[in-house]
Amino acid sequence: MEINSKIEKAKKGDQVAFTFLLDYFWNEVYSFMLKRTENETTAEDITIETFSKAFDRIASYNPEFQFNTWLIAIAKNVYIDLLRKKKTNLFIEITDTEDQQAYNIADTTPSAEDALIKEQNLSRLLLCIKELKPHYQEVIQLRYFQEMSYQEIADKINEPLSNVKVKLLRAKKLLAEIIERNR
C-alpha cells in the first residue's frame, strides 16, 4: 500500500514522504480536533503540534496499528496537555509596523517597467499572504521577508523547531492554494 511505503520513507527522513503524509492525513486530524475544540485556530494549532510530534517520533510508529489512529492518539494527548496548561494564545500577532515593513522592501531592478511589474507582483503576493491566518503570516514573513533560519524563527516565536517546519510547510501549501484561486 502507498501509505505504508510513504511511512517507511518518512522514517528514513524523506521530506517528500513527510509532505505526502501531512497532506493525506491533515483534514482527518484537523476535523477530529475541530469537533472537540469548536475553534478553528485551536484545532489547527493542535493539528500542527500533532504532526510535529508524530514526525519527531515516526521511528516509534508501530505498523500493527493504523497510522491515522496513531495520529489521533497523539492529537488527543496534545489536546489534553493544552487543557492542562490552559494556554489560550500560542502565537504572536504581526504588528502594523512589521506588516508595513513587508511593503517597504527595496526595489533594485534596473528599469522602471521591471520595477512596476515587480511591485505589482509583490502587492498581489502580499494580498494573498494577508488571506492567511495571522500565525501563518508571521512564519512566512520571518522566513521569506526577514530571511530568518528555521531555528531563529523557533527562538523568536518560542516554539519547537519541528513545529516551525510543519507550520511553514502548511503556510506555503495554503498560500499556493490562495495564489492559484486568485489567478
Side-chain angles (χ1 to χ4, degrees):
M1 182 181 193
E2 185 178 4
I3 298 296
N4 291 335
S5 70
K6 295 292 185 184
I7 293 167
E8 288 307 311
K9 287 179 180 179
K11 283 182 176 183
K12 295 175 184 169
D14 184 327
Q15 291 301 311
V16 173
F18 282 125
T19 302
F20 174 85
L21 294 171
L22 178 74
D23 290 344
Y24 191 84
F25 291 105
W26 177 272
N27 287 338
E28 185 175 351
V29 175
Y30 175 76
S31 298
F32 178 84
M33 290 316 308
L34 186 59
K35 287 177 189 169
R36 273 135 196 87
T37 64
E38 297 179 350
N39 180 298
E40 288 180 12
T41 302
T42 303
E44 202 166 69
D45 294 346
I46 292 169
T47 304
I48 289 169
E49 180 87 12
T50 298
F51 279 97
S52 173
K53 287 180 185 263
F55 291 164
D56 282 347
R57 300 179 188 144
I58 198 157
S60 70
Y61 166 69
N62 183 348
E64 291 178 22
F65 301 100
Q66 293 291 321
F67 192 72
N68 59 338
T69 305
W70 184 64
L71 287 171
I72 296 296
I74 293 171
K76 285 179 185 176
N77 290 334
V78 169
Y79 184 49
I80 289 167
D81 289 346
L82 185 69
L83 291 176
R84 283 187 188 137
K85 294 175 185 174
K86 295 182 182 180
K87 288 186 178 176
T88 57
N89 189 359
L90 301 175
F91 301 100
I92 302 166
E93 298 292 327
I94 294 177
T95 65
D96 289 339
T97 304
E98 291 169 326
D99 191 42
Q100 191 59 41
Q101 286 174 346
Y103 281 95
N104 293 337
I105 295 174
D107 186 3
T108 58
T109 53
S111 73
E113 293 83 11
D114 287 342
L116 182 60
I117 290 168
K118 184 175 179 180
E119 188 176 311
Q120 288 172 343
N121 287 340
L122 180 58
S123 293
R124 275 192 231 125
L125 176 62
L126 291 171
L127 287 173
C128 291
I129 290 171
K130 282 185 171 264
E131 290 185 40
L132 293 170
K133 291 187 177 179
H135 57 274
Y136 288 144
Q137 289 179 26
E138 179 182 33
V139 293
I140 292 284
Q141 185 218 20
L142 293 173
R143 179 71 176 152
Y144 299 104
F145 291 95
Q146 295 186 17
E147 299 179 352
M148 289 183 159
S149 69
Y150 291 123
Q151 188 60 57
E152 289 170 330
I153 295 169
D155 294 342
K156 174 141 177 99
I157 65 175
N158 198 26
E159 286 198 33
L161 181 62
S162 54
N163 277 25
V164 170
K165 289 179 180 179
V166 171
K167 197 177 289 184
L168 264 167
L169 183 66
R170 184 75 178 145
K172 289 190 297 187
K173 181 177 187 277
L174 291 171
L175 184 57
E177 290 170 5
I178 290 167
I179 290 168
E180 186 62 33
R181 188 176 65 232
N182 290 335
R183 283 188 181 209

